[in-house]
Structure formats: C-alpha cells, structure tokens
Coordinates of all heavy atoms in Angstrom, one line a residue:
A1 N 51.3 32.6 -57.9 CA 51.4 34.0 -57.7 C 52.6 34.4 -56.7 O 53.0 35.5 -56.7 CB 50.1 34.6 -57.1
R2 N 53.1 33.4 -56.0 CA 54.1 33.7 -55.0 C 55.5 33.7 -55.7 O 56.5 34.1 -55.1 CB 54.1 32.6 -53.9 CG 52.8 32.6 -53.1 CD 53.0 32.0 -51.8 NE 54.0 32.7 -51.0 CZ 54.5 32.2 -49.8 NH1 54.2 31.0 -49.4 NH2 55.4 32.9 -49.1
V3 N 55.6 33.2 -56.9 CA 56.9 33.1 -57.6 C 57.4 34.5 -58.0 O 56.6 35.3 -58.5 CB 56.7 32.2 -58.9 CG1 58.0 32.2 -59.7 CG2 56.3 30.8 -58.6
D4 N 58.7 34.7 -57.7 CA 59.3 35.9 -58.1 C 59.9 35.6 -59.5 O 61.0 35.1 -59.6 CB 60.4 36.3 -57.1 CG 61.0 37.7 -57.4 OD1 61.7 37.8 -58.4 OD2 60.7 38.6 -56.7
W5 N 59.2 36.1 -60.6 CA 59.6 35.7 -61.9 C 60.9 36.4 -62.4 O 61.7 35.8 -63.1 CB 58.5 36.0 -62.9 CG 57.3 35.2 -62.6 CD1 56.1 35.7 -62.0 CD2 57.1 33.8 -62.8 NE1 55.2 34.6 -61.9 CE2 55.8 33.5 -62.4 CE3 57.9 32.8 -63.4 CZ2 55.3 32.2 -62.4 CZ3 57.4 31.5 -63.4 CH2 56.1 31.2 -63.0
R6 N 61.2 37.6 -61.9 CA 62.4 38.3 -62.2 C 63.6 37.5 -61.7 O 64.6 37.4 -62.4 CB 62.3 39.7 -61.6 CG 63.5 40.6 -62.1 CD 63.3 42.0 -61.6 NE 64.4 42.9 -62.0 CZ 64.4 44.2 -61.8 NH1 63.4 44.7 -61.2 NH2 65.4 44.9 -62.2
R7 N 63.6 37.1 -60.4 CA 64.7 36.3 -59.9 C 64.8 34.9 -60.5 O 65.9 34.4 -60.8 CB 64.5 36.1 -58.3 CG 65.5 35.2 -57.7 CD 66.9 35.7 -57.8 NE 67.9 34.8 -57.2 CZ 68.4 33.8 -57.9 NH1 68.1 33.5 -59.2 NH2 69.3 33.0 -57.3
S8 N 63.6 34.3 -60.8 CA 63.6 33.0 -61.4 C 64.2 33.0 -62.8 O 64.8 32.0 -63.2 CB 62.2 32.4 -61.4 OG 61.7 32.3 -60.1
A9 N 64.1 34.1 -63.5 CA 64.6 34.2 -64.9 C 66.1 34.1 -64.9 O 66.7 33.8 -66.0 CB 64.1 35.5 -65.5
R10 N 66.8 34.3 -63.8 CA 68.3 34.3 -63.8 C 68.8 32.9 -63.5 O 70.0 32.7 -63.4 CB 68.8 35.2 -62.8 CG 68.3 36.7 -62.9 CD 69.3 37.7 -62.3 NE 69.6 37.3 -60.9 CZ 68.9 37.9 -59.9 NH1 67.9 38.7 -60.1 NH2 69.3 37.6 -58.6
D11 N 67.9 31.9 -63.4 CA 68.3 30.6 -63.0 C 67.4 29.5 -63.6 O 66.4 29.9 -64.3 CB 68.3 30.4 -61.4 CG 69.2 29.4 -60.9 OD1 69.6 28.5 -61.7 OD2 69.6 29.5 -59.7
D12 N 67.7 28.3 -63.4 CA 66.8 27.2 -63.9 C 65.8 26.8 -62.9 O 65.1 25.7 -63.1 CB 67.7 26.0 -64.3 CG 68.6 26.3 -65.5 OD1 68.2 27.2 -66.3 OD2 69.7 25.7 -65.6
R13 N 65.6 27.5 -61.8 CA 64.7 27.1 -60.8 C 63.7 28.3 -60.5 O 64.0 29.4 -60.9 CB 65.4 26.8 -59.4 CG 66.5 25.7 -59.6 CD 67.1 25.4 -58.3 NE 66.2 24.9 -57.3 CZ 66.5 24.6 -56.0 NH1 67.7 24.8 -55.6 NH2 65.6 24.1 -55.2
L14 N 62.6 27.9 -59.9 CA 61.6 29.0 -59.5 C 61.9 29.4 -58.1 O 62.2 28.5 -57.2 CB 60.2 28.4 -59.6 CG 59.7 28.1 -61.0 CD1 58.3 27.5 -61.0 CD2 59.8 29.3 -62.0
Y15 N 61.8 30.7 -57.8 CA 62.1 31.2 -56.5 C 60.9 32.0 -55.9 O 60.2 32.7 -56.7 CB 63.4 32.1 -56.5 CG 64.6 31.3 -56.7 CD1 65.1 31.1 -57.9 CD2 65.3 30.8 -55.6 CE1 66.3 30.4 -58.1 CE2 66.5 30.1 -55.8 CZ 67.0 29.9 -57.0 OH 68.1 29.2 -57.2
V16 N 60.8 32.0 -54.6 CA 59.8 32.8 -53.9 C 60.5 33.9 -53.1 O 61.5 33.6 -52.4 CB 58.9 31.9 -53.0 CG1 58.0 32.7 -52.1 CG2 58.1 30.9 -53.8
R17 N 60.0 35.1 -53.1 CA 60.5 36.2 -52.3 C 59.9 36.2 -51.0 O 58.6 36.3 -50.9 CB 60.3 37.5 -53.0 CG 60.7 38.7 -52.2 CD 60.3 40.0 -52.9 NE 61.1 40.3 -54.0 CZ 62.2 41.0 -54.1 NH1 62.6 41.6 -52.9 NH2 62.9 41.2 -55.2
E18 N 60.6 36.0 -49.9 CA 60.1 36.0 -48.5 C 60.3 37.4 -47.9 O 61.4 37.9 -48.0 CB 60.7 34.9 -47.7 CG 60.2 33.5 -48.1 CD 60.6 32.5 -47.1 OE1 61.7 32.6 -46.5 OE2 59.8 31.5 -46.8
R19 N 59.4 37.8 -47.1 CA 59.5 39.0 -46.3 C 59.8 38.6 -44.9 O 59.5 37.5 -44.5 CB 58.2 39.9 -46.4 CG 57.9 40.4 -47.8 CD 56.7 41.3 -47.7 NE 56.5 42.0 -49.0 CZ 55.7 41.4 -50.0 NH1 55.1 40.2 -49.8 NH2 55.5 42.0 -51.1
E20 N 60.4 39.6 -44.2 CA 60.7 39.3 -42.8 C 59.5 39.6 -41.9 O 58.8 40.5 -42.1 CB 61.9 40.2 -42.3 CG 62.4 39.9 -40.9 CD 63.6 40.8 -40.5 OE1 64.1 41.5 -41.4 OE2 64.0 40.7 -39.4
W21 N 59.4 38.7 -40.9 CA 58.3 38.8 -39.9 C 58.5 40.1 -39.1 O 59.6 40.3 -38.5 CB 58.3 37.6 -39.0 CG 57.3 37.7 -37.9 CD1 57.4 38.3 -36.7 CD2 56.0 37.0 -37.9 NE1 56.2 38.1 -36.0 CE2 55.4 37.3 -36.7 CE3 55.4 36.2 -38.8 CZ2 54.1 36.9 -36.4 CZ3 54.1 35.7 -38.5 CH2 53.5 36.1 -37.3
E22 N 57.5 41.0 -39.1 CA 57.7 42.2 -38.4 C 56.7 42.5 -37.3 O 56.6 43.5 -36.7 CB 57.6 43.4 -39.4 CG 58.7 43.4 -40.4 CD 58.5 44.5 -41.4 OE1 57.5 45.1 -41.5 OE2 59.5 44.7 -42.2
A23 N 55.9 41.4 -37.0 CA 54.9 41.6 -35.9 C 55.4 41.1 -34.6 O 55.5 39.9 -34.4 CB 53.6 40.8 -36.3
A24 N 55.8 42.1 -33.8 CA 56.3 41.7 -32.4 C 55.1 41.1 -31.6 O 54.0 41.5 -31.8 CB 56.8 43.0 -31.7
H25 N 55.5 40.2 -30.7 CA 54.4 39.7 -29.8 C 54.9 39.8 -28.4 O 56.1 40.2 -28.2 CB 54.1 38.2 -30.2 CG 55.2 37.2 -30.0 ND1 56.4 37.3 -30.6 CD2 55.2 36.1 -29.2 CE1 57.2 36.3 -30.2 NE2 56.5 35.5 -29.4
N26 N 54.1 39.5 -27.5 CA 54.4 39.7 -26.1 C 55.0 38.5 -25.4 O 54.5 37.4 -25.7 CB 53.1 40.1 -25.3 CG 52.5 41.4 -25.8 OD1 53.2 42.3 -26.2 ND2 51.2 41.4 -25.7
I27 N 56.0 38.7 -24.7 CA 56.7 37.6 -23.9 C 56.6 38.0 -22.4 O 57.1 39.1 -22.0 CB 58.1 37.4 -24.3 CG1 58.2 37.1 -25.8 CG2 58.8 36.3 -23.5 CD1 59.6 37.0 -26.4
W28 N 56.0 37.2 -21.6 CA 55.7 37.5 -20.2 C 56.6 36.6 -19.3 O 56.7 35.4 -19.5 CB 54.3 37.2 -19.9 CG 53.3 38.1 -20.6 CD1 52.6 37.7 -21.7 CD2 53.0 39.4 -20.4 NE1 51.8 38.8 -22.2 CE2 52.0 39.8 -21.4 CE3 53.4 40.4 -19.4 CZ2 51.5 41.1 -21.4 CZ3 52.8 41.6 -19.4 CH2 51.9 42.0 -20.4
F29 N 57.3 37.3 -18.3 CA 58.2 36.6 -17.4 C 57.6 36.5 -16.0 O 56.8 37.4 -15.6 CB 59.5 37.3 -17.4 CG 60.4 37.0 -18.5 CD1 60.3 37.8 -19.7 CD2 61.4 36.0 -18.4 CE1 61.2 37.5 -20.8 CE2 62.2 35.8 -19.5 CZ 62.1 36.5 -20.7
W30 N 57.9 35.5 -15.3 CA 57.7 35.4 -13.9 C 58.9 34.8 -13.3 O 59.4 33.7 -13.8 CB 56.5 34.6 -13.5 CG 56.3 34.4 -12.0 CD1 55.9 35.3 -11.1 CD2 56.7 33.2 -11.3 NE1 56.0 34.7 -9.8 CE2 56.4 33.5 -9.9 CE3 57.2 31.9 -11.7 CZ2 56.6 32.5 -8.9 CZ3 57.4 31.0 -10.7 CH2 57.1 31.3 -9.3
I31 N 59.5 35.4 -12.2 CA 60.7 34.9 -11.6 C 60.3 34.6 -10.1 O 59.9 35.4 -9.4 CB 61.8 35.9 -11.6 CG1 62.2 36.2 -13.1 CG2 63.1 35.4 -10.9 CD1 63.2 37.4 -13.3
D32 N 60.5 33.3 -9.7 CA 60.2 32.9 -8.4 C 61.2 33.5 -7.4 O 62.4 33.3 -7.5 CB 60.3 31.3 -8.3 CG 60.0 30.7 -7.0 OD1 59.7 31.5 -6.1 OD2 60.1 29.5 -6.9
R33 N 60.7 34.2 -6.4 CA 61.6 34.8 -5.4 C 61.2 34.4 -4.0 O 61.4 35.0 -3.0 CB 61.5 36.3 -5.5 CG 62.2 36.9 -6.8 CD 62.1 38.4 -6.9 NE 60.7 38.8 -7.1 CZ 60.1 39.7 -6.4 NH1 60.8 40.4 -5.4 NH2 58.9 40.1 -6.6
S34 N 60.5 33.2 -3.9 CA 60.1 32.6 -2.6 C 61.3 32.2 -1.8 O 62.4 32.1 -2.4 CB 59.1 31.5 -2.8 OG 59.7 30.4 -3.5
A35 N 61.1 31.8 -0.6 CA 62.2 31.5 0.3 C 63.1 30.3 -0.2 O 64.3 30.3 0.0 CB 61.7 31.2 1.7
S36 N 62.5 29.3 -0.8 CA 63.3 28.2 -1.3 C 64.3 28.5 -2.3 O 65.3 27.8 -2.6 CB 62.3 27.1 -1.8 OG 61.7 27.5 -3.0
M37 N 64.1 29.7 -3.0 CA 65.1 30.1 -4.0 C 66.3 30.7 -3.4 O 67.4 30.8 -4.0 CB 64.5 31.2 -4.9 CG 63.3 30.6 -5.8 SD 63.9 29.4 -7.0 CE 64.8 30.5 -8.2
A38 N 66.3 31.1 -2.1 CA 67.4 31.7 -1.4 C 68.3 30.5 -0.8 O 68.6 30.5 0.4 CB 67.0 32.6 -0.3
F39 N 68.8 29.7 -1.7 CA 69.5 28.5 -1.3 C 70.7 28.3 -2.2 O 70.6 28.5 -3.4 CB 68.6 27.2 -1.4 CG 69.3 26.0 -1.0 CD1 69.5 25.6 0.3 CD2 69.8 25.1 -2.0 CE1 70.2 24.4 0.6 CE2 70.5 24.0 -1.7 CZ 70.7 23.6 -0.4
A40 N 71.8 28.0 -1.6 CA 73.1 27.7 -2.3 C 74.0 26.8 -1.6 O 74.0 26.8 -0.4 CB 73.8 29.0 -2.6
S41 N 74.7 25.9 -2.4 CA 75.7 25.1 -1.8 C 77.0 25.5 -2.4 O 77.1 26.3 -3.3 CB 75.4 23.6 -2.2 OG 75.7 23.3 -3.5
D42 N 78.1 24.9 -1.8 CA 79.4 25.3 -2.3 C 79.8 24.5 -3.6 O 80.9 24.7 -4.1 CB 80.5 25.1 -1.3 CG 80.6 23.7 -0.7 OD1 79.8 22.8 -1.2 OD2 81.4 23.5 0.2
L43 N 78.8 23.7 -4.1 CA 79.0 23.1 -5.4 C 78.5 24.0 -6.6 O 78.7 23.7 -7.7 CB 78.3 21.7 -5.5 CG 78.7 20.7 -4.4 CD1 77.9 19.4 -4.7 CD2 80.2 20.4 -4.6
A44 N 77.7 25.0 -6.2 CA 77.1 25.8 -7.2 C 77.9 27.1 -7.5 O 78.6 27.6 -6.7 CB 75.7 26.2 -6.7
G45 N 77.6 27.6 -8.7 CA 78.3 28.9 -9.1 C 77.5 30.1 -8.6 O 78.1 31.2 -8.6
A46 N 76.3 29.9 -8.2 CA 75.5 31.0 -7.7 C 74.3 30.4 -7.0 O 74.0 29.3 -7.1 CB 75.0 31.9 -8.9
S47 N 73.6 31.3 -6.2 CA 72.4 30.8 -5.5 C 71.3 30.7 -6.6 O 71.4 31.3 -7.7 CB 72.0 31.8 -4.5 OG 71.6 33.1 -5.0
K48 N 70.2 30.0 -6.3 CA 69.2 29.8 -7.2 C 68.5 31.2 -7.6 O 68.2 31.4 -8.7 CB 68.1 28.9 -6.7 CG 68.6 27.4 -6.6 CD 67.5 26.5 -6.3 CE 66.8 26.7 -4.9 NZ 65.8 25.7 -4.6

C-alpha cells in the first residue's frame, strides 16, 4: 500500500512517496555558568 503506482509507472522500479516530518519536539539547554567556567589562557580563542 505504500507504493506510489503513478510514479512507479514511469520507471522499471517501484517507488514510495515519503512525507516530511512535521512534528517539532522540545530541545532543552543548560549552560554552566559556575566559577570554573570563568577561566581562560592565552592559548585559547575565548574563555570557557
């Protein structure tokens, strides 16, 4: 039932029509801002 017969008729292979994922999900962030993060050396491009 997943075969797209109209598209498959134009070729010698069977094809499936895929839809795009539209269900957004949650992404949660946490950023460490404790004292140890306030550190930098002159070898670094930025502090932590």
Side-chain angles (χ1 to χ4, degrees):
R2 300 198 62 190
V3 175
D4 187 287
W5 298 106
R6 185 172 182 177
R7 172 64 182 86
S8 300
R10 304 203 309 264
D11 206 338
D12 294 329
R13 303 180 64 180
L14 296 178
Y15 289 91
V16 172
R17 174 187 289 265
E18 287 191 325
R19 296 183 176 89
E20 184 177 356
W21 179 278
E22 294 178 350
H25 66 302
N26 299 329
I27 303 176
W28 299 99
F29 281 86
W30 174 77
I31 302 173
D32 183 1
R33 292 178 293 132
S34 62
S36 67
M37 293 293 288
F39 177 82
S41 73
D42 58 2
L43 299 182
S47 68
K48 292 192 293 183

